[in-house]
Amino acid sequence: MSASVRMSPQDARALRNWEVVAQMYADLSRGNGEAVLSTLSDKIEWVVTAGLPYGGTYRGRDAVLANVFARFDTEWEDFAVAPAELFAVEDVVIALGNYQGRRRETGKAMTARFAHVWRFEHGVPVAFETIADTRTMVAAMA
């Protein structure tokens, strides 16, 4: 006997968005930032928690690459984004997890909690916000 799963169109949309986010995290874990960037809207609005040296709002893939991804590569060793849970409702996906890495300049390791909020339009991420444990991250930088 085979079981079938019934989903409303709303559930199906949330599932598709969840799958997109899960794939982006998988790409990040393999070091494939280019795949992540190509998934984003070319007009993405990317918000990094105030309190970090690179905190602010960046618009567009090039700004995200230059101000976020490139800095993690050059300023941290073994930097990882490790989501533990993903929740999807309509056009919003929330990830809870940890950042991990060792600051190149200080040699200090850190594990900092995060919440990520992804917003979608027509199946494409158009906005991202990270809410992070800045105290732990900044302590590793000092």
Side-chain angles (χ1 to χ4, degrees):
M1 177 177 188
S2 66
S4 65
V5 176
R6 290 187 180 182
M7 298 182 74
S8 71
Q10 189 63 50
D11 294 334
R13 185 174 78 206
L15 177 60
R16 280 192 306 273
N17 294 339
W18 184 96
E19 289 171 339
V20 168
V21 170
Q23 183 61 52
M24 285 191 294
Y25 287 122
D27 290 335
L28 274 178
S29 74
R30 289 189 296 275
N32 192 351
E34 288 182 23
V36 175
L37 288 170
S38 70
T39 303
L40 305 174
S41 164
D42 59 349
K43 296 179 182 178
I44 185 81
E45 180 176 277
W46 193 281
V47 179
V48 176
T49 305
L52 292 174
Y54 34 86
T57 300
Y58 305 101
R59 290 178 178 81
R61 292 180 191 149
D62 290 341
V64 172
L65 175 61
N67 295 292
V68 182
F69 285 30
R71 292 189 72 173
F72 285 136
D73 284 345
T74 61
E75 297 174 12
W76 297 90
E77 291 178 33
D78 302 320
F79 189 82
V81 180
E85 298 177 278
L86 293 177
F87 306 92
V89 178
E90 298 181 4
D91 285 325
V92 177
V93 178
I94 297 171
L96 302 177
N98 292 295
Y99 293 125
Q100 299 169 324
R102 179 176 307 280
R103 185 70 173 185
R104 291 185 191 280
E105 189 176 71
T106 66
K108 294 179 184 176
M110 66 87 190
T111 298
R113 190 82 171 137
F114 70 70
H116 290 165
V117 180
W118 296 92
R119 298 185 187 283
F120 283 74
E121 287 181 7
H122 310 292
V124 177
V126 295
F128 168 86
E129 181 176 1
T130 179
I131 299 98
D133 177 1
T134 58
R135 181 176 173 266
T136 300
M137 293 181 80
V138 170
M141 295 175 185

